[in-house]
Amino acid sequence: MRLSKLAALAGLPLTANAQKAETAEVRRVCAANRISELLSEAAPTTLLVTALANRHLAHVAELTESPAICLAGGVAPDAALLEAAGARGLVLLTSPEDPARTADRLYRALQSEGGT
Amino acid sequence: MDTCACHITGGNFDSAGEASSLLKEALKRIGVEPELIRRAVIAAYEAEMNVVIHARRGRLEARIAPDRVEVEVDDEGPGIPDIPRAMTEGYSTAPPEARALGFGAGMGLPNIRRCADELSLESSVGKGTRLRFTVLLRGGQEHGESAVGLEFLRERCTDCRLCLRACPTSALRVRRGWPLVLEHLCINCTECIRGCPAGAISLRHSPGAAAGAQAGSIVGAQHAAPLPETTLVLPKALAARIAESPARAVALLRARGYRRVLWLDAWRDAVRREALRFSPTRPMILPTCPAVVALIESRYAALIPHLAPVASPIESMAAQLAGEPLEVVVSCPAEAAALVARGVSVMSPKTFLSRFGEGAGHALPPQTDSAPEFQIPRVTGIADVIRTLESIEDGHMGDVPALELFACPGGCAASPLLRSTGAGEAGTAGSEIADRPAPPPPDDSPGTIAVASPLRAPRAPRPGIRLDKEMAEAIRKLGRIDELTRALPGTDCGLCGAPTCRAMAEDVVLGRAVRRDCPYFHDDSKEESR
């Protein structure tokens, strides 16, 4: 599913590189608050959901080619993450709910087109 | 061999990750496949962060060879007093500031272990730690074969592990819910594709160019048109899926830009004809199916003299048409691997049907490659093929002049790639095929007269299943595998990610896994010994 469509279905705002969401494809959602867990689950079509909000997330996305990160729990990206996301074309979304509820919301939206 | 190195400063979280990014760029530049890059850089990143979190300074050096990337990370730090404990998932000594950033999950070293094919860790308390790991880039190169032609679609995998059970050579493992293939064991049959209910395994595709195919690549659906003067070779059974007759299919494909359209079936007949001229050890086994040839070379080396000394149909075709622009629609990953190794562009049936449309024609029944005129007994399906090979190995079947063995049940025309019609290569179109009306009589292939080619080199055993190059060491490892197999529960449950307890024992002895991967194994005194 196109990330822009997924974000709209889940009601989550795009906060960085929104234009990239028109072409990014998401088939899977992974929620975790540990870098190692995100690393081991991320893939090129995985949307990462986390309550972290630092520049190391951008490294995770870069290394695993994940197209986007949803910052859950109402956290705001720090300046370093915004800069890194901009440099790497990483899409950022935000959610006021915690990672588990956010993942559930995204999962339900994805299910409408057969994602996991 | 290319080398990239980077100094790492302990405690400097701002620049952390740079060494891994450099390694990723280097691997991308030389065309390493994405999943292998992913494994290498995840392991490198975890190792790099360990230095940042725990040490004063360190250095990461990666040596990139055609078949492997070796990474060595040395640090000056406190050292690791208890390595087995440090390898335990969830155990961490990371300080609070690292945990606040999301590190310190106690998964760093276990992640490295999962991503690496080889791992060693030496540490001296108060001095520092040296971690070395290797990710194999092309496991098949060692014996002159191409890498496997399979792709695992992570987003479709449900971690059901049925693929573990399906693989006849125990070449699959599951690591953290993700299937991995031990390339030196894989024979490129289609059993895992057939056995995956989620359609998560398919023919591997490479990123394509805008038009035409790069030599040796697998043509993606995004390729708009063939290069000028390109010849297309495809199974006749597939042509019948795009038009009501093969002749109409040829006309359609030529109108879409192909100079010639040839049937792969012609080379199958040519190889049969040529093979029957020989009279090697009875029964002679025809090399029609490249997966069966790979199986014999890897598991039944004593039967290599039974193989007719001619190239397989796919190799014969590639040899005969060498030098001209060529695209080939393959029936299976084994054909794809053989062609990509020769620099021939390959197209999956799914791509072919998406480019030229499906539905106008009729599916041919699975027995279309039976070649009754040759009157060669056939055995199809990998389980029956293995039983047959074991029977021959036991000295039976000497009264049978020749045999044709196919890994796919029903032969090449019943390959799951050819039967796919849906989103994945592993579609379930069997009933659809059975329901369709019988096809009209096919026309003969126009153009080139197919010729079987001689072998480029004598067939030889593949060393893939050897435990060690040195016989004495191999015997020692075999003893350790037997010992460990007895210590494991023997349930073959697959929870460790290996298909059987014996495969798990072999993985431990060869450094691909640790005993703790088995959830039922309890022997702390011997933990992590390899």
Side-chain angles (χ1 to χ4, degrees):
Chain A
M1 182 185 288
R2 287 278 180 273
L3 177 56
S4 54
K5 182 180 177 185
L6 176 63
L9 283 173
L12 301 177
L14 299 160
T15 55
N17 294 311
Q19 73 284 1
K20 294 265 184 184
E22 296 299 330
T23 53
E25 183 76 10
V26 172
R27 296 184 186 171
R28 193 164 175 268
V29 175
C30 166
N33 287 333
R34 294 294 183 187
I35 296 286
S36 288
E37 289 174 335
L38 293 168
L39 268 177
S40 62
E41 292 297 334
T45 53
T46 304
L47 169 59
L48 303 175
V49 180
T50 181
L52 299 170
N54 60 61
R55 64 185 303 156
H56 299 289
L57 292 174
H59 263 304
V60 171
E62 180 199 352
L63 295 177
T64 59
E65 310 223 333
S66 299
I69 297 173
C70 179
L71 307 177
V75 298
D78 63 18
L81 175 57
L82 281 173
E83 183 189 341
R88 292 166 179 146
L90 176 66
V91 182
L92 295 180
L93 300 80
T94 53
S95 166
E97 296 180 321
D98 64 37
R101 287 196 172 84
T102 304
D104 181 59
R105 182 192 286 232
L106 288 163
Y107 174 75
R108 288 171 193 278
L110 260 186
Q111 267 193 319
S112 62
E113 286 198 5
T116 57
Chain B
M1 179 179 288
D2 188 26
T3 301
C4 65
C6 194
H7 288 282
I8 306 165
T9 306
N12 184 353
F13 286 90
D14 288 342
S15 62
E18 285 179 0
S20 314
S21 297
L22 284 173
L23 175 60
K24 185 185 178 194
E25 285 310 306
L27 294 175
K28 280 177 80 170
R29 277 202 305 273
I30 62 171
V32 175
E33 67 174 89
E35 178 56 24
L36 295 175
I37 293 177
R38 179 179 174 278
R39 285 170 50 201
V41 300
I42 287 176
Y45 183 75
E46 294 281 18
E48 188 180 354
M49 292 313 304
N50 275 345
V51 176
V52 172
I53 293 168
H54 297 286
R56 290 183 294 280
R57 65 182 69 86
R59 184 173 186 273
L60 183 150
E61 182 174 312
R63 293 178 289 276
I64 305 168
D67 64 338
R68 62 183 54 215
V69 55
E70 297 171 343
V71 178
E72 184 172 311
V73 183
D74 289 292
D75 73 47
E76 296 172 25
I80 304 173
D82 186 345
I83 289 178
R85 197 168 180 203
M87 296 290 289
T88 306
E89 215 166 273
Y91 176 78
S92 174
T93 57
E97 58 268 29
R99 292 173 189 260
L101 293 171
F103 299 101
M107 284 180 59
L109 287 172
N111 259 359
I112 296 171
R113 185 184 66 206
R114 285 192 189 93
C115 290
D117 291 298
E118 296 165 10
L119 170 68
S120 73
L121 184 60
E122 302 161 19
S123 191
S124 192
V125 174
K127 292 183 178 175
T129 300
R130 169 173 293 173
L131 179 136
R132 294 192 188 104
F133 69 83
T134 301
V135 174
L136 300 177
L137 302 182
R138 291 188 296 179
Q141 290 297 308
E142 185 180 328
H143 43 79
E145 297 290 331
S146 69
V148 290
L150 295 172
E151 180 175 57
F152 298 91
L153 306 174
R154 190 181 181 92
E155 61 275 10
R156 289 194 190 171
C157 179
T158 59
D159 196 15
C160 69
R161 308 195 177 202
L162 289 174
C163 54
L164 291 183
R165 309 263 179 221
C167 179
T169 58
S170 296
L172 284 173
R173 301 290 184 272
V174 172
R175 298 282 182 255
R176 250 197 117 60
W178 174 236
L180 299 173
V181 63
L182 303 179
E183 296 190 3
H184 61 290
L185 297 179
C186 179
I187 58 169
N188 275 313
C189 69
T190 55
E191 289 304 299
C192 56
I193 298 174
R194 202 184 307 278
C196 177
I201 308 174
S202 76
L203 194 66
R204 185 172 56 209
H205 288 74
S206 56
Q214 297 169 336
S217 67
I218 295 181
V219 181
Q222 66 273 43
H223 291 104
L227 293 168
E229 299 298 298
T230 297
T231 295
L232 178 70
V233 182
L234 72 161
K236 193 182 276 183
L238 197 55
R241 299 270 284 274
I242 63 166
E244 60 271 24
S245 73
R248 292 286 295 272
V250 170
L252 168 70
L253 293 166
R254 291 184 68 174
R256 296 289 291 271
Y258 290 104
R259 184 174 70 90
R260 288 193 301 172
V261 177
L262 304 174
W263 309 134
L264 185 56
D265 312 56
W267 277 274
R268 294 194 181 120
D269 287 347
V271 166
R272 288 169 179 134
R273 203 172 293 116
E274 179 69 9
L276 292 177
R277 293 179 51 241
F278 296 94
S279 50
T281 311
R282 281 190 165 204
M284 177 175 68
I285 301 171
L286 273 70
T288 316
C289 171
V292 169
V293 173
L295 179 66
I296 291 172
E297 289 175 343
S298 60
R299 297 259 163 174
Y300 301 93
L303 301 184
I304 288 176
H306 288 259
L307 282 164
V310 290
S312 69
I314 202 83
E315 291 167 329
S316 295
M317 179 275 299
Q320 187 175 346
L321 303 181
E324 61 180 281
L326 186 64
E327 287 181 14
V328 182
V329 186
V330 294
S331 305
C332 66
E335 290 183 347
L339 292 175
V340 171
R342 287 170 172 257
V344 176
S345 297
V346 170
M347 193 188 308
S348 74
K350 176 186 169 189
T351 300
F352 174 81
L353 292 173
S354 71
R355 289 174 68 176
F356 302 109
E358 181 178 22
H362 309 282
L364 292 181
Q367 66 272 21
T368 49
D369 59 353
S370 61
E373 67 272 27
F374 292 100
Q375 296 190 335
I376 304 167
R378 328 165 62 226
V379 177
T380 71
I382 198 73
D384 285 338
V385 164
I386 287 172
R387 273 194 285 274
T388 302
L389 293 175
E390 286 174 354
S391 181
I392 298 171
E393 210 172 41
D394 290 342
H396 306 306
M397 304 185 73
D399 55 339
V400 178
L403 275 175
E404 197 164 26
L405 310 179
F406 294 89
C408 289
C412 297
S415 161
L417 299 191
L418 288 180
R419 296 169 73 180
S420 118
T421 57
E425 300 285 12
T428 51
S431 59
E432 185 178 338
I433 285 173
D435 293 343
R436 289 184 174 191
D443 298 344
D444 288 332
S445 169
T448 302
I449 296 172
V451 176
S453 297
L455 290 170
R456 287 199 299 183
R459 291 196 173 92
R462 287 169 50 164
I465 61 169
R466 282 186 202 160
L467 296 174
D468 200 280
K469 288 175 184 171
E470 299 296 327
M471 180 71 79
E473 181 61 14
I475 291 171
R476 195 177 70 81
K477 287 179 176 173
L478 187 61
R480 290 174 60 198
I481 291 169
D482 288 340
E483 182 187 348
L484 183 55
T485 302
R486 285 193 293 273
L488 291 168
T491 52
D492 296 343
C493 64
L495 287 175
C496 62
T500 62
C501 291
R502 184 164 184 85
M504 163 68 176
E506 185 173 315
D507 287 351
V508 172
V509 171
L510 297 183
R512 295 193 292 252
V514 292
R515 297 174 188 205
R516 197 174 276 116
D517 288 338
C518 171
Y520 303 115
F521 186 81
H522 300 289
D523 186 357
D524 292 341
S525 64
K526 295 180 180 176
E527 194 61 272
E528 304 303 333
S529 66
R530 289 181 178 174

